[in-house]
Amino acid sequence: MEAFKSGADVFFVLIGAILVFAMHSGFAFLEVGTVRKKNQVNALVKIITDFGMSTVAYFFVGYSVAYGVNFLTSAAEISGMTGELFAANGYDLVKFFFLLTFAAAIPAIISGGIAERARFGSQLLATAVIVGLVYPFFEGMVWGDTLNFQGMMESTFGAPFHDFAGSIVVHAVGGWLALGAVVLLGARIGRYRKDGSPIGIPPSNIPFLALGSWILCIGWFGFNVMSAQAVDGASGLVAMNSLMAMVGGILAALVVGKNDPGFVHNGALAGLVAVCAGSDIMHPLGALAVGAIAGVIFVKLFVICQEKWKIDDVLGVWPLHGLCGLWGGIAAGIFGLEALWGLGGVTFLSQLVGSLVGAAFALVAGFIVYGVIRQFMGIRLDEEEEFRGADLSIHKISAYPEEDLTMK
């Protein structure tokens, strides 16, 4: 019976890992559909190569930083050192795969914000540093025992910081890291007039944008439900709350965004980002409210960010992941309370402080990582390369090569 359970757990977590891995294609097509045609190939290549770099960085460094597991030794030594890593049908190995897909989401998030003008090699280096050191340090604080962070939160605020599936650990950290990168890069050429007024750059392909959103929405149920990491922890409540938050985000973005398809499809993602933290403790009505508020946050802050603050965040990853993720962490301390039909076990202050710590940590880290790389090797394409487009400048081929031949 124990062997059956361990096998079932391995399969459960593996399916979760595959679903979250599939989400990376969603990130790719969301970006492909948003950027201009001359940068579509770069969007696709960035996401898959960032995943490759993330895997290497997390395997050799990051997983050890977060959880103290070191793969750089023999199988026999690993079994003795870490509680039989290769036993139980390799459960701990497939758990690495699952957590890797979360870690690799960080550069996938950042990619959308820095699109159309970032240097390819510089971003790969940033990915290695972020996934090897920055992200796993905070991951270990919340989901491990780094710095006894959770012990301090519980003793100070009455409960540990609750982030079931990563509203803060993954999304807010990714979004606030991206803000630092976007600010240091500056706006795309031609994005704003001399008087500061914005020049609209419409999405290049709404069907691709919508496809990216759909893939992400489907994969998100693996992201959230499989965060239980064992069959006996699987919860229909998590699935239901994910669904309700998603539709809350869609409908709110539809109304506030005045039928704009980009807002509608990103509204679904805003709701899902926000519900991650408390999806296991909220009532479905609470999840609906959390998702609807997230949809409003995304639409309003995207417009303010682009038009008033002149922050050229191409896909709006800071409003979507950074701010909606921050809202989600805090919301778990509101709608997770028993007074609002939640399951309890959380406090508002613990959620507020933990969420703000995550956002502040990521913002500072983003400016440090991208600031140092900018100082020593640069992070932005030169003006001619940017005008030509990242596809031809970096990859020497466009998304539509036959059109290039026709133009010649």
Side-chain angles (χ1 to χ4, degrees):
M1 195 65 187
E2 185 174 338
F4 177 81
K5 182 184 183 305
S6 63
D9 287 343
V10 166
F11 188 71
F12 179 77
V13 176
L14 175 61
I15 295 301
I18 292 169
L19 284 168
V20 183
F21 180 38
M23 290 175 69
H24 289 261
S25 65
F27 283 120
F29 277 97
L30 192 72
E31 185 172 337
V32 167
T34 305
V35 300
R36 288 168 286 188
K37 288 172 63 176
K38 63 183 179 179
N39 296 299
Q40 290 180 330
V41 171
N42 182 243
L44 293 168
V45 175
K46 273 192 305 178
I47 299 298
I48 198 166
T49 53
D50 275 341
F51 190 89
M53 181 63 77
S54 297
T55 301
V56 172
Y58 200 61
F59 180 84
F60 285 104
V61 182
Y63 201 55
S64 179
V65 171
Y67 303 107
V69 177
N70 180 11
F71 291 108
L72 302 180
T73 185
S74 71
E77 290 174 311
I78 289 176
S79 295
M81 290 169 54
T82 64
E84 300 184 354
L85 188 64
F86 294 166
N89 298 82
Y91 171 81
D92 287 329
L93 296 176
V94 80
K95 179 181 175 181
F96 163 81
F97 180 20
F98 181 68
L99 292 173
L100 160 68
T101 60
F102 279 56
I106 302 296
I109 290 168
I110 296 170
S111 175
I114 64 176
E116 301 203 311
R117 76 273 201 206
R119 285 192 179 182
F120 184 63
S122 298
Q123 175 55 20
L124 277 179
L125 176 58
T127 293
V129 174
I130 288 168
V131 178
L133 297 172
V134 176
Y135 166 77
F137 183 80
F138 187 73
E139 177 188 16
M141 288 172 59
V142 177
W143 292 339
D145 56 10
T146 302
L147 301 181
N148 191 33
F149 176 74
Q150 292 289 30
M152 291 188 293
M153 293 295 288
E154 184 170 10
S155 62
T156 305
F157 302 111
F161 174 61
H162 187 88
D163 190 4
F164 180 70
S167 286
I168 300 298
V169 175
V170 178
H171 297 288
V173 166
W176 287 87
L177 278 166
L179 178 61
V182 168
V183 170
L184 289 173
L185 270 172
R188 289 168 288 175
I189 295 171
R191 181 66 178 92
Y192 299 101
R193 299 183 180 88
K194 290 183 179 180
D195 64 1
S197 59
I199 298 174
I201 301 178
S204 62
N205 192 308
I206 295 296
F208 275 164
L209 185 158
L211 174 64
S213 175
W214 273 105
I215 294 171
L216 284 165
C217 286
I218 293 166
W220 223 295
F221 287 87
F223 195 99
N224 284 359
V225 175
M226 270 72 169
S227 285
Q229 298 183 26
V231 171
D232 59 9
S235 170
L237 177 64
V238 175
M240 182 67 170
N241 283 342
S242 300
L243 174 67
M244 297 302 286
M246 180 186 74
V247 299
I250 291 169
L251 296 177
L254 174 69
V255 174
V256 179
K258 300 177 181 178
N259 304 326
D260 182 282
F263 286 145
V264 170
H265 286 93
N266 278 285
L269 308 182
L272 286 162
V273 165
V275 81
C276 287
S279 57
D280 61 328
I281 57 173
M282 293 180 187
H283 187 281
L285 288 175
L288 180 66
V290 168
I293 293 169
V296 174
I297 289 172
F298 173 72
V299 173
K300 293 295 187 182
L301 268 296
F302 180 88
V303 173
I304 292 172
C305 179
Q306 299 282 340
E307 297 185 0
K308 293 187 177 181
W309 296 340
K310 308 297 184 294
I311 299 174
D312 188 18
D313 179 351
V314 181
L315 268 68
V317 298
W318 179 57
L320 179 61
H321 297 275
L323 293 178
C324 292
L326 182 63
W327 157 240
I330 296 169
I334 301 172
F335 293 96
L337 298 174
E338 292 182 13
L340 291 175
W341 297 359
L343 296 179
V346 292
T347 66
F348 174 75
L349 282 178
S350 181
Q351 293 306 118
L352 176 64
V353 172
S355 298
L356 291 175
V357 167
F361 169 81
L363 179 63
V364 172
F367 275 102
I368 291 173
V369 171
Y370 285 94
V372 171
I373 294 175
R374 184 177 73 167
Q375 181 68 29
F376 288 98
M377 63 183 294
I379 58 175
R380 181 163 182 158
L381 296 172
D382 64 38
E383 188 170 337
E384 182 179 345
E385 291 172 329
E386 184 179 341
F387 180 78
R388 191 183 185 199
D391 293 357
L392 294 177
S393 297
I394 297 171
H395 309 291
K396 312 305 179 187
I397 190 169
S398 77
Y400 307 93
E402 290 181 353
E403 291 185 12
D404 296 341
L405 293 174
T406 302
M407 290 174 64
K408 291 180 180 179

